[in-house]
Amino acid sequence: MSIFPKISLRPEVENYLKESFVNKEIVTALGKQEAERKFETLLKHLSHPPSFTTVRVNTHLASVQHVKNLLLDELQKQFNGLSVPILQHPDLQDVLLIPVIGPRKNIKKQQCEAIVGAQCGNAVLRGAHVYAPGIVSASKFMKAGDVISVYSDIKGKCKKGAREFDGTKVFLGNGISELSRKEIFNGLPELKGMGIRMTEPVYLSPSFDNVLPRYLFLQNLPSALVTHVLNPQPGEKILDLCAAPGGKTTHIAALMHDQGEVIALDKIFSKVEKIKQNALLLGLNSIRAFCFDGTKAVKLDMVEDTEGEPPFLPESFDRILLDAPCSGMGQRPNMACTWSLKELASYQPLQRKLFTAAVQLLKPEGVLVYSTCTIMLAENEEQVAWALTKFPCLQLQPQEPHIGGEGMRGAGLSCEQLKQLQRFDPSAVPLPDTDMDSLREARREDMLRLANKDSIGFFIAKFIKCKST
């Protein structure tokens, strides 16, 4: 059920999105009324979290069953003995699914309040505690040890250090303050530690802060699916063109049994360091990460390759993953997006530059997987239509496993082509109302169907490059 307001967007952005989702092709297929209803449902669902927390097991270091047993013990501790099931995904054997309990409606709101920033609030709805930097405001009498109600400042209007806030705020649940108001806002260098330990969140999800860090990687279900669609094989040379923070890079290496070469690029130094840290933590040696702009990754002069560092000669890679920088408009929960239409539109040309580099770097008969975590037609199906016209050497391929919906109409693709795409649409199923009683009664197949449908917004396309003539 919907308990939060729909995602808040600038009017120009909402109108643009509506035009995309109520386009001629969709209206012809569904009718205008149904297209508009689906669009409004989508805006509501974006502000709510998915109904499952998804973790990927690092099968390079441990078996799925062993990690599942460790995780069951951890959840028992976190949930004070509540027995929450953990499901192994039947099509993605290294993925574990944990149902989210909520929304919980009988939480008593406290007089003492803390306001957190929107991003912090989104994290709380997915199981995080509140860290001190995320706290924007707190009641004047707040002390360490107090039970306090936590609210999200979804429009970013609360002033840092305010004693009270009457603007738009959304209740996230109750927690225990680890710090007093004075300690949080004393003007000294910013605190880094825990600010509020959430004890009664509106949505109950496990916290994965330092939980089995060598064995688990917190990932949304479609993000874990992407690497299986790429289907890397031992001994291959694979490029992850926009790799940070390294979830898919490390997944590629694990599926290859750490045999072969995985090159990871990102243009931000701190993010590349994070990829290296993750590879080290997960015990993966086949990964080499470089701070490099993916749009410039093709070596234009055909001299001999310099020790395997970027830029690379054309046709160097067996498989390429382009998990492209995108508007992120599929992320959930997301209660407010302040971006302008110009900012949203800036991603399509960047994605095309990266795609062009990827096609050049791919060997004949090589596989290219393109993915985004956005719902935007312009960044998804329109990019596929553009790519198939621009690069006659590319052929769209069916995907395995196929657990998402088909592509969205509106970019001129055929029904057959749309079936070869995977689009995860947050409006696909009604928002669930999950409590312990409904979990005990739920059938496993119904829970798995819900996990596949009620995820973040995501898109995957798979191409093969035909032989050079």
Side-chain angles (χ1 to χ4, degrees), residues 136-417:
V136 182
S137 144
S139 297
K140 58 185 175 186
F141 45 83
M142 187 176 95
K143 305 184 299 298
D146 284 351
V147 178
I148 58 174
S149 286
V150 180
Y151 295 83
S152 178
D153 170 27
I154 62 172
K155 296 196 174 174
K157 300 290 187 188
C158 185
K159 286 188 178 151
K160 186 86 171 174
R163 287 179 168 80
E164 54 185 44
F165 177 60
D166 295 325
T168 306
K169 60 186 181 183
V170 171
F171 180 60
L172 305 174
N174 294 337
I176 295 171
S177 177
E178 301 275 315
L179 302 163
S180 68
R181 176 192 160 79
K182 190 176 178 183
E183 287 171 307
I184 295 167
F185 302 114
N186 64 4
L188 294 173
E190 203 171 69
L191 292 167
K192 292 278 191 282
M194 179 89 71
I196 302 162
R197 188 172 296 281
M198 296 301 296
T199 52
E200 287 185 289
V202 170
Y203 282 94
L204 180 63
S205 299
S207 166
F208 280 92
D209 187 25
N210 213 28
V211 171
L212 306 173
R214 299 197 72 212
Y215 294 153
L216 289 178
F217 206 99
L218 193 58
Q219 239 176 343
N220 287 297
L221 181 63
S223 299
L225 169 64
V226 166
T227 313
H228 285 281
V229 170
L230 185 69
N231 194 26
Q233 300 298 310
E236 290 183 331
K237 186 175 181 181
I238 295 183
L239 175 63
D240 189 348
L241 197 52
C242 304
K248 297 179 186 73
T249 310
T250 53
H251 197 187
I252 290 168
L255 289 182
M256 294 166 71
H257 309 296
D258 207 24
Q259 295 166 23
E261 191 176 3
V262 184
I263 303 290
L265 303 186
D266 202 276
K267 65 178 185 180
I268 298 170
F269 178 77
S270 60
K271 290 185 175 183
V272 174
E273 290 305 297
K274 184 70 179 167
I275 296 167
K276 290 177 180 176
Q277 286 168 19
N278 279 328
L280 195 64
L281 180 69
L282 300 173
L284 296 161
N285 300 312
S286 58
I287 295 167
R288 298 174 69 213
F290 299 97
C291 186
F292 202 83
D293 181 350
T295 64
K296 298 170 182 166
V298 184
K299 199 179 188 78
L300 298 173
D301 48 33
M302 300 298 282
V303 294
E304 199 55 43
D305 209 0
T306 52
E307 297 175 34
E309 295 190 3
F312 302 103
L313 292 171
E315 302 189 345
S316 291
F317 294 92
D318 298 293
R319 296 173 201 259
I320 296 177
L321 173 61
L322 173 51
D323 186 47
C326 71
S327 58
M329 287 293 293
Q331 291 293 1
R332 294 172 66 197
N334 184 6
M335 294 192 198
C337 176
T338 57
W339 285 13
S340 68
L341 195 51
K342 186 178 178 184
E343 285 171 307
L344 277 183
S346 68
Y347 285 96
Q348 194 189 62
L350 171 61
Q351 290 159 354
R352 290 185 178 184
K353 283 181 185 174
L354 288 162
F355 199 102
T356 301
V359 174
Q360 289 175 286
L361 290 168
L362 190 63
K363 290 179 181 177
E365 299 192 315
V367 170
L368 168 59
V369 171
Y370 173 82
S371 62
T372 72
C373 59
T374 187
I375 56 170
M376 307 288 284
L377 187 71
E379 298 177 60
N380 296 332
E381 289 84 357
E382 280 186 19
Q383 298 293 54
V384 171
W386 164 81
L388 292 173
T389 304
K390 175 84 173 172
F391 304 104
C393 61
L394 291 184
Q395 283 182 354
L396 205 54
Q397 291 290 293
Q399 299 178 35
E400 194 58 44
H402 200 296
I403 61 175
E406 61 183 44
M408 189 170 103
R409 295 175 175 92
L413 296 171
S414 69
C415 289
E416 198 53 47
Q417 288 170 325

